């Protein structure tokens, strides 16, 4: 299946576009999703300009955990059992923190998220999501090679490290299930076995599940920038501009940039968590769950063999160019909330119990927001009421993983293709008209 996916990815990104009508496109947003959109359009022969208010890969695509997650076949559901919800409510678990103001603002989206997290609905959603994650590495592969970014990628998988015996037993059963259901491969280690595999561990865990197909990137921001450099090298254009100046015009769309007013027949909205606010101006009310995350780098004396998630404490440790990056779970807070690094500090303290983190690197504190649709699937397709307005956002935790994959699917939609997968991602089928 992986070989088939590689061929699919190559065909998608390398086709010459012969026989298609060429058009001018604006892509708003220079994260992984936006840059991937621009590359896919360019591969079809279209004239493309990326517009961003800052630079390339400087938001969520800069600060994530750097994983291309084949193992993430099932998107993160909202727990429905009262024990876990109480842990979240009282912040006993480090997975989730929250503020009342954020919960109130997101209340409709959170309620919808809760409903979509029922076992029946989540199983149906996962069958769609798994089709995306399974091909993610294959769709990244040609871009990694053509952008000269192989040095940033390790084909090392991702480890789920468990400290609790009962939770480890559940994780083993889950690994067996996702192998049967989705073809996600893994290796199972008891605590002592994985401590031999990972010399940096100074304490024996209950056990570990090593998902083998996922890839790790040592600088996700640099990879996004390399993809954009490839886009520019191939004749694309990147300009600085404010997405809030976007207007519908007689000929299509226009926007103000430092290079003046730009016009195009089509525009792709790939602004991640900022997308709903922009499209609200055009009459679209898109509920979204905003999950803030933080990271910090540490001068760990011992390098990890592969990234791992400390499941009990909700933090992921991954080797990066700047040191060992510790990335947090979700903070349900308003977009304009002040920094609150308690989640990061608690996670780092917990990690220090099992590995030597070393001193934290002094740098500006990064934070980013994961744009999560309540039904846990990205919006990919044309806006219901505006010709030439394309939605490509709402990837939740998986924008870095799925950018090239959903960009390829967006091309299929633009070319008039129709199938069950495209229908499941379509704004026409998921938004009120």
């Amino acid at each position: 299946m992986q070989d088939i996916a590689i061929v699919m990815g190559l065909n998608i990104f390398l086709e010459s576009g012969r026989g298609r009508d060429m058009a001018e496109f604006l892509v708003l947003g220079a994260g992984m999703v936006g840059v991937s959109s621009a590359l896919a359009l360019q591969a079809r022969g279209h004239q493309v300009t990326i517009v961003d208010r800052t630079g390339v890969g400087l938001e969520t695509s800069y600060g994530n955990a750097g994983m291309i997650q084949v193992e993430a076949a099932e998107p993160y559901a909202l727990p429905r059992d009262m024990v876990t919800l109480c842990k979240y409510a009282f912040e006993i678990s480090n997975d989730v923190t929250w503020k009342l103001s954020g919960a109130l603002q997101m209340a409709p989206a959170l309620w919808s998220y809760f409903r979509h997290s029922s076992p029946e609905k989540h199983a149906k959603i996962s069958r769609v999501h798994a089709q995306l994650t399974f091909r993610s590495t294959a769709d990244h592969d040609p871009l990694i090679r053509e952008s000269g970014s192989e040095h940033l990628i390790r084909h090392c998988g991702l480890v789920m490290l468990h400290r609790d015996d009962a939770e480890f037993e559940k994780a083993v059963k889950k690994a067996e299930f996702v192998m049967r259901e989705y073809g996600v491969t893994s290796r199972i280690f008891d605590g002592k076995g994985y401590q031999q595999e990972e010399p940096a561990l100074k304490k024996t865990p209950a056990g570990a599940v090593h998902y083998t197909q996922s890839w790790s990137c040592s600088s996700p921001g640099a990879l996004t920038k390399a993809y954009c450099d490839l886009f520019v090298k191939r004749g694309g254009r990147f300009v600085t501009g404010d997405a809030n100046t976007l207007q519908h015009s007689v000929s299509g769309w226009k926007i103000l940039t430092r290079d003046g007013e730009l016009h195009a027949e089509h525009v792709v909205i790939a602004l991640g968590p900022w997308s709903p606010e922009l499209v609200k101006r055009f009459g679209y009310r898109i509920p979204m769950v905003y999950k803030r995350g933080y990271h910090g780098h540490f001068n760990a004396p011992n390098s990890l063999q592969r990234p791992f998630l400390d499941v009990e404490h909700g933090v992921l440790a991954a080797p990066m160019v700047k040191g060992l990056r510790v990335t947090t779970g979700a903070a349900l807070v308003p977009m304009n909330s002040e920094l609150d690094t308690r989640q990061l500090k608690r996670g780092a303290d917990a990690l220090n119990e099992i590995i030597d983190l070393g001193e934290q690197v002094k740098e500006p504190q990064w934070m980013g927001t994961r744009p999560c649709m309540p039904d846990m699937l990205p919006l990919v397709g044309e806006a219901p009421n505006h010709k030439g307005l394309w939605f490509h956002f709402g990837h939740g935790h998986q924008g870095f993983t799925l950018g090239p994959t959903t960009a390829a699917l967006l091309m299929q939609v633009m070319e008039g293709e129709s199938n069950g997968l495209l229908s499941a991602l379509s704004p026409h089928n998921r938004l009120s008209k």
Side-chain angles (χ1 to χ4, degrees):
M1 292 179 71
Q2 193 80 348
D3 290 340
I4 293 172
I6 290 172
V7 172
M8 289 172 63
L10 286 170
N11 287 339
I12 286 162
F13 282 100
L14 300 181
E15 283 183 334
S16 65
R18 289 174 294 181
R20 300 186 180 95
D21 293 330
M22 304 311 159
E24 289 192 5
F25 279 82
L26 298 171
V27 174
L28 306 188
M32 178 57 76
V33 174
V35 172
S36 297
S37 303
L39 279 163
L41 287 164
Q42 185 182 59
R44 294 311 205 264
H46 299 298
Q47 297 181 35
V48 188
T49 300
I50 299 175
V51 181
D52 195 277
R53 64 182 180 180
T54 54
V56 179
L58 297 181
E59 301 288 353
T60 309
S61 292
Y62 170 83
N64 60 68
M67 298 303 305
I68 302 174
Q69 291 187 254
V70 175
E71 97 290 339
E74 297 189 332
Y76 300 114
L78 186 65
R80 294 167 65 91
D81 64 283
M82 289 307 299
V83 173
T84 303
L85 289 174
C86 285
K87 286 182 178 180
Y88 287 178
F90 295 102
E91 296 194 9
I92 297 170
S93 165
N94 198 45
D95 286 342
V96 175
T97 62
W98 62 286
K99 286 186 177 180
L100 180 60
S101 57
L104 291 174
Q105 285 182 18
M106 290 182 265
L110 285 169
W111 174 240
S112 180
Y113 186 17
F114 181 80
R115 289 189 295 106
H116 280 98
S117 296
S118 70
E120 298 79 11
K121 289 186 177 180
H122 187 252
K124 184 177 179 180
I125 291 165
S126 296
R127 286 192 288 273
V128 174
H129 198 262
Q131 295 179 64
L132 307 178
T133 54
F134 185 80
R135 56 180 277 189
S136 58
T137 51
D139 288 334
H140 270 279
D141 186 59
L143 299 180
I144 290 168
R145 288 186 285 101
E146 290 161 25
S147 65
S149 300
E150 293 93 336
H151 63 289
L152 297 174
I153 303 298
R154 297 173 64 203
H155 300 181
C156 58
L158 174 64
V159 171
M160 305 297 176
L161 193 75
H162 292 269
R163 305 196 193 198
D164 181 81
D165 289 325
E167 292 301 317
F168 174 56
E169 290 179 10
K170 292 180 185 177
V172 171
K173 292 179 181 178
K174 181 63 178 290
E176 293 169 350
F177 169 78
V178 295
M179 175 60 195
R180 290 194 309 270
E181 193 75 9
Y182 311 116
V184 175
T185 60
S186 61
R187 299 190 298 159
I188 309 299
F189 293 89
D190 62 21
K192 290 183 179 179
Y194 196 68
Q195 196 168 21
Q196 292 177 349
E197 183 90 358
E198 180 53 85
L201 289 177
K202 60 183 183 182
K203 196 172 181 179
T204 305
V209 179
H210 173 208
Y211 288 105
T212 59
Q213 294 158 299
S214 299
W215 294 356
S216 174
C217 176
S218 62
S219 180
L223 185 67
T224 307
K225 178 66 163 57
Y227 285 6
C228 189
D229 289 344
L230 176 64
F231 164 74
V232 172
K233 182 180 177 181
R234 290 175 172 177
R237 182 167 57 151
F238 171 83
V239 300
T240 303
D242 185 354
N244 289 316
T245 66
L246 181 70
Q247 293 183 36
H248 201 196
S249 67
V250 175
S251 59
W253 301 90
K254 62 181 180 181
I255 191 171
L256 293 177
T257 74
R258 287 186 183 176
D259 289 7
E261 188 172 80
L262 301 183
H263 294 256
E265 184 181 352
H266 300 269
V267 60
V268 177
I269 309 298
L271 293 166
W274 294 277
S275 300
E277 191 62 30
L278 176 64
V279 301
K280 188 186 294 184
R281 294 170 45 219
F282 303 104
Y284 299 95
R285 299 291 184 267
I286 299 178
M288 186 171 280
V289 177
Y290 299 94
K291 298 182 182 181
R292 180 182 288 185
Y294 295 89
H295 79 221
H297 294 102
F298 295 81
N299 291 315
N302 302 308
S303 179
L304 291 178
Q305 297 300 305
R306 56 185 65 89
F308 73 85
L309 176 68
D310 183 354
V311 176
E312 185 173 332
H313 295 95
V315 282
L316 195 148
M320 294 276 173
V321 170
K322 290 187 175 182
L324 186 67
R325 178 177 290 182
V326 176
T327 309
T328 67
L332 302 178
V333 298
M335 287 278 285
N336 59 355
S337 249
E338 294 181 355
L339 286 166
D340 182 355
T341 58
R342 288 177 298 161
Q343 204 174 10
L344 177 60
K345 291 175 181 176
R346 287 198 297 258
D349 288 343
L351 282 173
N352 250 327
E353 297 172 1
I354 56 174
I355 61 174
D356 290 322
L357 275 185
E359 293 294 320
Q360 186 168 356
V361 175
K362 292 182 179 180
E363 58 184 342
Q365 179 59 59
W366 178 86
M367 66 178 183
T369 301
R370 307 166 182 109
C372 301
M373 296 295 294
D375 64 2
M376 293 165 273
L377 294 172
L379 280 172
V380 182
E382 193 168 24
N385 302 320
H386 292 80
K387 185 175 176 58
L389 178 63
W390 302 90
F391 291 170
H392 192 199
F393 57 85
H395 293 69
H397 295 253
Q398 304 302 338
F400 186 74
T401 292
L402 295 179
T405 297
T406 53
L409 296 176
L410 181 61
M411 299 307 102
Q412 291 180 244
V413 175
M414 289 181 177
E415 292 163 6
E417 295 186 35
S418 178
N419 57 51
L421 178 57
L422 300 180
S423 178
L425 305 180
S426 171
H428 285 265
N429 299 330
R430 295 162 61 199
L431 299 180
S432 299
K433 297 182 181 179

